Amino acid sequence: SSDDEHAETKCEVCGSGDNDEYMVLCDGCDHGYHTWCAGIAAVPEDDWFCKACAKSAESDRRLPPTDSKVTQTGPQTGPQTGPQTG
């Protein structure tokens, strides 16, 4: 059962396997962390990465910000700055 998997997981910070209902598994390295040891309020529903994996993923993503691409698309006609006729 899935309960057996979590029973063997120990927190990487405190080393305890207790309170497995508060244990979150990193989606990068599969290490376990208690929510309070990881500094989070609750077990997240979405993917979660420990500090080491999050830092590693962040350094791998050396892409330019998407904002620079957005401002370069579309015509350069903004609000009228010249005198308006009519």
Side-chain angles (χ1 to χ4, degrees), residues 61-76:
R61 279 184 277 155
R62 298 192 189 279
L63 300 175
T66 55
D67 292 353
S68 63
K69 292 178 184 175
V70 172
T71 56
Q72 292 174 3
T73 60
Q76 294 279 335

Side-chain angles (χ1 to χ4, degrees), residues 6 14 17 20 37 42 70:
H6 294 294
C14 71
D20 63 338
C37 292
V70 172

Side-chain angles (χ1 to χ4, degrees), residues 2-79:
S2 63
D3 288 343
D4 294 336
E5 288 178 27
H6 294 294
E8 296 175 12
T9 303
K10 294 190 187 295
C11 177
E12 293 294 310
V13 177
C14 71
S16 171
D18 295 340
N19 298 66
D20 63 338
E21 66 271 21
Y22 298 104
M23 192 79 70
V24 60
L25 296 178
C26 173
D27 288 295
C29 64
D30 283 335
H31 287 147
Y33 296 85
H34 290 114
T35 53
W36 55 86
C37 292
I40 57 176
V43 175
E45 293 180 20
D46 298 328
D47 289 349
W48 178 83
F49 297 92
C50 68
K51 287 181 181 179
C53 288
K55 185 175 182 181
S56 172
E58 193 173 300
S59 66
D60 288 345
R61 279 184 277 155
R62 298 192 189 279
L63 300 175
T66 55
D67 292 353
S68 63
K69 292 178 184 175
V70 172
T71 56
Q72 292 174 3
T73 60
Q76 294 279 335
T77 58

